[in-house]
Amino acid sequence: MLMSKLIGERTREAPADATIVSHALLVRAGYIKQLAGGIWSLTAPAHRIVKNIERIIREEMNAIDGQEVSLPVVQPRELWEQSGRYNSIGEEMVRFKDRQQRDLCLAMTHEEAAVHLVRDGVKSYTQLPFMIYQFQTKFRDEPRSRGGLIRVREFIMKDAYSFHATQQDLEQYYAKAFTAYENIFRRIGMKNFIAVQSDSGMMGGAIAHEFMLLTEIGEDTIAICEKCGYKANVEVADSVLPLPNAEAEQALQEVYTADAAEIAQVAELLGVSADKTIKAVVFLDKVSSQYIVAFIRGDLEVNEAKLKKVVKMDLVPCSLEDSNELVAGNIGVLGIEASGAKAVFDKSLQNTFNMVTGANKAQYHITGVCAARDFPNVEFADIKKAREGDACPKCSCALILKNGIEVGNIFQLGNKYTGAMGMSVLGADGRNFFPIMGCYGIGLGRSLASVAEEYADEKGLIWPIGIAPFKVYLCPLRYDTPEVKECADSIYASLQEQGIDTIFDDRNASPGFKFADCDLMGIPIRVVVSPRSLEAGNIEIATRYGGIKEDIKIEKLFDRLSSALAILSVL
Amino acid sequence: MLMSKLIGERTREAPADATIVSHALLVRAGYIKQLAGGIWSLTAPAHRIVKNIERIIREEMNAIDGQEVSLPVVQPRELWEQSGRYNSIGEEMVRFKDRQQRDLCLAMTHEEAAVHLVRDGVKSYTQLPFMIYQFQTKFRDEPRSRGGLIRVREFIMKDAYSFHATQQDLEQYYAKAFTAYENIFRRIGMKNFIAVQSDSGMMGGAIAHEFMLLTEIGEDTIAICEKCGYKANVEVADSVLPLPNAEAEQALQEVYTADAAEIAQVAELLGVSADKTIKAVVFLDKVSSQYIVAFIRGDLEVNEAKLKKVVKMDLVPCSLEDSNELVAGNIGVLGIEASGAKAVFDKSLQNTFNMVTGANKAQYHITGVCAARDFPNVEFADIKKAREGDACPKCSCALILKNGIEVGNIFQLGNKYTGAMGMSVLGADGRNFFPIMGCYGIGLGRSLASVAEEYADEKGLIWPIGIAPFKVYLCPLRYDTPEVKECADSIYASLQEQGIDTIFDDRNASPGFKFADCDLMGIPIRVVVSPRSLEAGNIEIATRYGGIKEDIKIEKLFDRLSSALAILSVL
């Protein structure tokens, strides 16, 4: 491709709202252009990277027997009602009416459509397992799109759906998919990625993993044990607290605490540490409008994702302005039943002694609360957020927390969708059953941006050779001199003949200007043809990473290119 | 791929609403499944065909210097207001609001987004010409989706946009694109296609061509001159009528015609032929609510597309129940101004003598109307539908009419979009100008269905080798016998190694059952491994078209396959 005709303006200035490197550089290098919030156009170089990522994913999906299919973007309400998600998914799903006033939506995931496609044709367990996948445009009305391609509303996703006769078969396949995902991220050049246990969210199902690129700018937090390798999104991460020390049980006592409402205020007023108090955090169930009170040790935080799983409700945090039963700032474990709210107790309260809790009465707290004595019949659940330094649930070493960007996810779905949608298959035992599903997603644009984030330097982008839009930046200097033109044109023709993707900078511009563009665009190999080096029969070859920079004889160029391509592909 | 795991149920029964061959067979062969009206899922074989078509299109687009990009599906209202199409496009464009109540739409074409992408970066005429293209999902809320993939609401389209400094440069490029389109349709295996002049419709612009597959089931009608090669969609087709014979001018006379309103009734009552009457057809301008009366010779029909171009209004045919000014059945050319309606006169009325027209008064007509004498100051325009047998506008031979399916289109757009969207570029003369655009579309699913339509026979689909989902159907009979299994497995491994797309029918089923599936699915080459032929050291090779059917020695199989592939690719 000719640089003089390449669409995509390169600029010095980053967009005013660009706070992360990949956003700034992808815009500055002319790779992407914003059409609306979270909606981007890609120019040819960015599209080429997406296609390279797509090719790698396709190869890995085919290697685990995937069948590439195509499922629609626009889907009817009735389909989503079969799974119950038409109502359970919120505003992130776009809904509209067609000209005949029928309800349609933009599918943000394709479990329903996948089951619809295979439901009739798959009649027997002998047709299992199988996996179908697609690359498809999806739109999710994200409330906070940001960061260029990191968090968008419209994106291309590879989504895959596997169907199995048994949980064991799913687990075997899930392990294969896990390995395929590791291959994919490794092959697209990502270095610092890990797989972590995750929350299955709106997908349902029990076991799920996210593939995370570890990076400061990640919005997810991951708890990691560097000793045993335990890794989990804090949304699901377990961690172990030391058992409370046994103490002599004090008597319950109601104490006046005036307007002290926050844990810090109450603890200070009563002269105890925060871990001797019981925090109450209130949520509202959007469906029933019931209040849910989560009790947890005062120094800990409630993990909303864990709580949702425990209560199986669609909760939102809430303030208490309009509650007659719950006294904001003074909610306590004793007598909470009277309020009508549902109480959930974190495991951190188990076996505690002499704690402070609200008195369920304005301006009063109760001291001396002992779990075994004062609330003996409650069930404790894990609803706390893991903290840096908490003990690993597997080996008890201290956990560390890191930020990450989710670049892919895999879920074990169970038979939620096949059951709800009536996909019944004849088993080996002559009885019908609902197949067990797995699903597997990767966002292509976010993968691109994540790689950009991981590699970029002060000069611009750096693309690993496996996904680079062009492998070679062919850069004649003084292209208007006949010798340079003849040599550069001939190299360009040979590169094209050999199928090496090349961008040919045919512009009349200074070396510095051209080199800066090449660096900003992140093309792995730069080949420079200049009058001076030609005099010595030389060509310059330099790489954007890997440290190659040398003059070589013209006749050696293609040998050196081959070896450079090989070297870069294993760096 | 293994047939035992292939998703897509093959059935004997066609869908009840399938009236055309490709619809019935694509469903029966398990290639496509309907999710909602005009919205289809594709299984792996259909998706493979689409990908093969995509590859061919991509090669041809790259060969004319196309840059593949990616433009969003969901677009903001503001973008479409820049071109004025947010309002001018009707219900076929889906509009909705996002969670922040901003207006978005599903782009049904991408002129606006293309200009948005290139507007800032292209500053000088030296960057012209260039072309960008994409493969993208589009949704158009067609009122009458039908015929499987022939007329759908959601589809994948290749759309391309070129930008030029001069009309001459556009025309040169347009000719290249025209040739690329011919290459594409030829390479995907289409035989009976032609390019015809067409209406530019909502795209605007002057010159446009459609590529049509000629077929009985086509919804478009094409006027063709078999002598000189003139071809045009009847929406724009010109045709020449013989000049009216000169006659002695009669006096105007008002005659009572009672309830005779239709041309046939009036002609019979007055004892004249239909071509001696003037027909009035009434339309309504949706924007201004003004009536438009189209006058045309009584034996001809008004071409709505031509009329729209002449009056530059968004017309709909209408009845006259609520008009006080126009007298239904008696509308005439004389005194029509008084009604306030806009009158348009077809060229067929030029130089006519002694015609019958309505009297603009209930139950009366006027006879003896002579154009030159009685309505001398009107402008005549071509608003008639060409008829079979009319004279060709180029060579005067008789035109014939054929039906066709539009499989692609190309448009010269002028600077409608660059002008409206302020894409201003510095010219060689130092003055700014708006680049001239061309646009070029192909629907991939409709191309697939059109090829299916053209090739199918009574046994099922037939895929030309260039786009076939699998080139080879490897069919062991008695796969449970060790010799057959060993031979078939080894052939399958070799086929995969050589990159020959193969579907391997590993099922335990009868020969008839398997052959019927192979025929229904339309796989070009069938390779049969059976106990009987193995005894003689033979394999059977047979083709779905081209008439090859023979037993060959096992060791000759791959030579014969190569030659068969070569033969099929030129048939």
Side-chain angles (χ1 to χ4, degrees), chain A residues 199 230 233-239 302-312 315 344 346 381-386:
Chain A
D199 179 35
Y230 175 80
N233 194 312
V234 287
E235 289 188 347
V236 298
D238 225 348
S239 70
V302 170
N303 178 326
E304 204 175 313
K306 284 185 180 176
L307 178 63
K308 279 182 183 172
K309 274 201 175 172
V310 168
V311 298
K312 298 187 178 65
L315 302 179
V344 182
D346 184 62
D382 176 21
I383 58 168
K384 77 171 187 305
K385 270 190 193 157

Side-chain angles (χ1 to χ4, degrees), chain A residues 313-324:
Chain A
M313 291 174 177
D314 193 11
L315 302 179
V316 282
C318 76
S319 61
L320 278 179
E321 284 154 20
D322 50 357
S323 165
N324 295 320

Side-chain angles (χ1 to χ4, degrees), chain A residues 5 9 67 123 141, chain B residues 5 9 67 99 123 141:
Chain A
K5 292 292 162 67
E9 190 184 22
Q67 298 180 37
K123 295 176 161 65
D141 198 0
Chain B
K5 293 292 161 65
E9 190 183 24
Q67 298 180 36
R99 65 198 302 155
K123 296 176 161 65
D141 198 1

Side-chain angles (χ1 to χ4, degrees), chain A residues 238-254:
Chain A
D238 225 348
S239 70
V240 179
L241 299 176
L243 275 182
N245 294 325
E247 295 177 19
E249 293 186 349
Q250 299 168 3
L252 293 176
Q253 188 180 347
E254 199 173 87

Side-chain angles (χ1 to χ4, degrees), chain B residues 46 73 166 205 262 264 404-405 452 489 509:
Chain B
V73 177
T166 63
E262 300 294 321
I405 299 171
D489 286 354

Side-chain angles (χ1 to χ4, degrees), chain A residues 5 7 9 33-34 41-42 47 67-70 72-74 98-99 116 120 123 141 153-154, chain B residues 5 7 9 33-34 41-42 44 47 67-70 72-74 98-99 116 120 123 141 153-154:
Chain A
K5 292 292 162 67
I7 293 306
E9 190 184 22
K33 186 164 181 184
Q34 187 164 25
S41 294
L42 309 186
H47 184 72
Q67 298 180 37
E68 190 173 348
V69 302
S70 174
V73 177
V74 176
D98 70 7
R99 64 200 299 155
H116 175 271
D120 300 327
K123 295 176 161 65
D141 198 0
R153 297 200 288 173
E154 179 174 323
Chain B
K5 293 292 161 65
I7 294 305
E9 190 183 24
K33 187 164 181 183
Q34 188 163 24
S41 294
L42 309 187
H47 184 71
Q67 298 180 36
E68 190 173 348
V69 302
S70 175
V73 177
V74 176
D98 71 7
R99 65 198 302 155
H116 175 270
D120 301 327
K123 296 176 161 65
D141 198 1
R153 296 200 288 173
E154 180 174 320

Side-chain angles (χ1 to χ4, degrees), chain B residues 306-556:
Chain B
K306 285 185 181 177
L307 178 63
K308 280 182 183 172
K309 276 201 174 174
V310 168
V311 297
K312 298 187 176 67
M313 291 174 179
D314 193 11
L315 302 179
V316 282
C318 76
S319 63
L320 279 179
E321 284 154 20
D322 51 357
S323 165
N324 296 321
E325 298 79 14
L326 293 169
V327 187
N330 294 85
I331 302 172
V333 295
L334 305 180
I336 185 68
E337 314 79 49
S339 71
K342 178 179 176 66
V344 182
F345 295 80
D346 184 62
K347 284 187 172 168
S348 58
L349 300 178
Q350 219 166 354
N351 297 315
T352 48
F353 294 89
N354 305 323
M355 305 291 280
V356 178
T357 189
N360 291 317
K361 179 167 131 185
Q363 305 198 314
Y364 281 87
H365 281 75
I366 293 175
T367 62
V369 178
C370 298
R373 180 190 69 196
D374 300 323
F375 48 105
N377 296 320
V378 306
E379 275 184 47
F380 295 96
D382 176 20
I383 58 167
K384 77 170 185 306
K385 271 190 192 155
R387 299 173 304 180
E388 177 117 9
D390 281 356
C392 168
K394 290 205 167 164
C395 75
S396 303
C397 282
L399 292 173
I400 59 170
L401 297 186
K402 291 197 175 179
N403 293 331
I405 299 171
E406 180 194 344
V407 288
N409 51 44
I410 58 179
F411 297 93
Q412 295 186 13
L413 294 176
N415 59 14
K416 169 177 171 175
Y417 297 96
T418 52
M421 296 179 67
M423 179 183 174
S424 178
V425 167
L426 187 68
D429 58 0
R431 304 212 306 217
N432 282 308
F433 68 99
F434 299 128
I436 292 167
M437 289 176 68
C439 80
Y440 317 87
I442 296 180
L444 275 67
R446 187 184 284 184
S447 294
L448 176 156
S450 297
V451 173
E453 198 65 44
E454 195 171 21
Y455 278 79
D457 66 11
E458 68 289 352
K459 292 180 183 168
L461 296 161
I462 300 175
W463 296 112
I465 198 85
I467 64 168
F470 306 101
K471 292 187 166 47
V472 172
Y473 194 97
L474 177 58
C475 186
L477 303 181
R478 299 296 315 270
Y479 186 52
D480 51 345
T481 53
E483 302 76 37
V484 170
K485 181 167 184 351
E486 189 187 339
C487 178
D489 286 354
S490 133
I491 293 172
Y492 186 46
S494 300
L495 285 164
Q496 288 184 296
E497 212 168 275
Q498 296 184 35
I500 298 174
D501 288 330
T502 301
I503 178 91
F504 183 29
D505 195 346
D506 58 334
R507 299 172 301 172
N508 282 320
S510 71
F513 187 85
K514 290 183 167 188
F515 294 172
D517 273 355
C518 176
D519 285 345
L520 178 57
M521 291 177 68
I523 312 304
I525 301 176
R526 189 180 74 195
V527 173
V528 182
V529 182
S530 71
R532 197 166 47 193
S533 59
L534 273 189
E535 271 176 31
N538 284 342
I539 301 283
E540 187 201 90
I541 180 169
T543 57
R544 187 71 176 86
Y545 67 104
I548 298 172
K549 188 174 194 309
E550 58 199 42
D551 285 338
I552 50 162
K553 292 290 164 199
I554 297 176
E555 56 274 19
K556 295 281 185 196

